[in-house]
Amino acid sequence: MTTDLTRVYLPATLAQLAVLRESGELPQPTEAHAVTPALREWYAEGDDEELEYVAFTRAAQSALRLLRHDAKAPRRRVVVSADLPGTVLKMTGLDLGSSVVEISGRIALRTVAAIHVDGQAAEADVAAAADVVEEAEAGDPDAQFTVDGAEDHELEWYDPSELDQLVV
C-alpha cells in the first residue's frame, strides 16, 4: 500500500533546527504552506513548480514573522520542506489562493526533504524585514518595499544530512 505524500513548507528558525537535530523532530509548526486546492484554483494557469514556489515563498515570509517575535534568533529565514501523508494535513485557509495547512503532530527528521536557509549576507535585510513584516501584510507600501528587499535573497538549499553544519 502506498501513501500519497504532500510537500509541505514549514517556516522555522535556526533555534528550531537545533531542536530538530537534537530530538529528531521539528517543534509543532504554527503555520505551514502547501499546494492546496484553493491555491491551485486561484493560480489556474500555474504549473506544479510555480505553485510550489508560491507556497515556499509564503513560508519564507512566515519565517519573517517568527523572527519578529523571537528577538534572540539569528536574522536568517528558514524553510523546512517535508513530505507528509495527507492524513496529517488539514486545509485551514479556505480563502481562494490560500496555501495554509494545519499539521497534526511534530515533523520527524525522516520526513524532511530539504532545509532552506538565508546566507549570512542576507541578515541585515532579513532583520529589517522581520521588523516590519506585519505592517507590510497590513498594506504599508514602505514596509512592503523592505520585505521585498529580504525576498531578493535566495534561500540556500541544504540536504537534511547537512543539519550539523547549519546548527553550530
Side-chain angles (χ1 to χ4, degrees):
M1 181 174 123
T2 61
T3 304
D4 287 332
L5 299 177
T6 300
R7 176 65 49 97
V8 178
Y9 303 97
L10 305 137
T13 63
L14 288 172
Q16 289 172 326
L17 289 184
V19 171
L20 176 63
R21 181 183 69 182
E22 297 304 317
S23 70
E25 295 180 329
L26 195 63
Q28 177 70 36
T30 56
E31 186 175 320
H33 295 269
V35 177
T36 62
L39 181 62
R40 202 173 284 284
E41 185 178 343
W42 192 38
Y43 285 93
E45 300 292 320
D47 62 20
D48 285 345
E49 188 174 317
E50 290 171 315
L51 294 171
E52 288 184 14
Y53 183 75
V54 169
F56 175 86
T57 301
R58 290 178 179 173
Q61 189 168 26
S62 295
L64 287 174
R65 284 194 299 281
L66 291 176
L67 293 173
R68 179 173 180 149
H69 298 287
D70 184 353
K72 295 178 186 174
R75 301 337 240 176
R76 295 166 77 185
R77 295 169 298 167
V78 176
V79 175
V80 176
S81 298
D83 295 323
L84 303 176
T87 56
V88 302
L89 302 177
K90 177 182 175 188
M91 194 171 125
T92 58
L94 300 178
D95 294 335
L96 188 61
S98 176
S99 61
V100 177
V101 293
E102 183 178 298
I103 299 171
S104 58
R106 292 179 173 241
I107 309 303
L109 180 56
R110 70 183 177 334
T111 66
V112 174
I115 301 167
H116 313 269
V117 181
D118 273 313
Q120 289 182 342
E123 285 184 0
D125 289 337
V126 169
D131 288 343
V132 298
V133 65
E134 291 172 2
E135 290 83 350
E137 290 171 350
D140 181 324
D142 292 331
Q144 185 60 54
F145 181 79
T146 302
V147 168
D148 290 345
E151 291 176 356
D152 286 343
H153 296 277
E154 293 288 327
L155 278 77
E156 298 171 359
W157 182 94
Y158 294 90
D159 186 86
S161 65
E162 297 175 285
L163 190 54
D164 285 339
Q165 296 169 19
L166 290 169
V167 180
V168 184

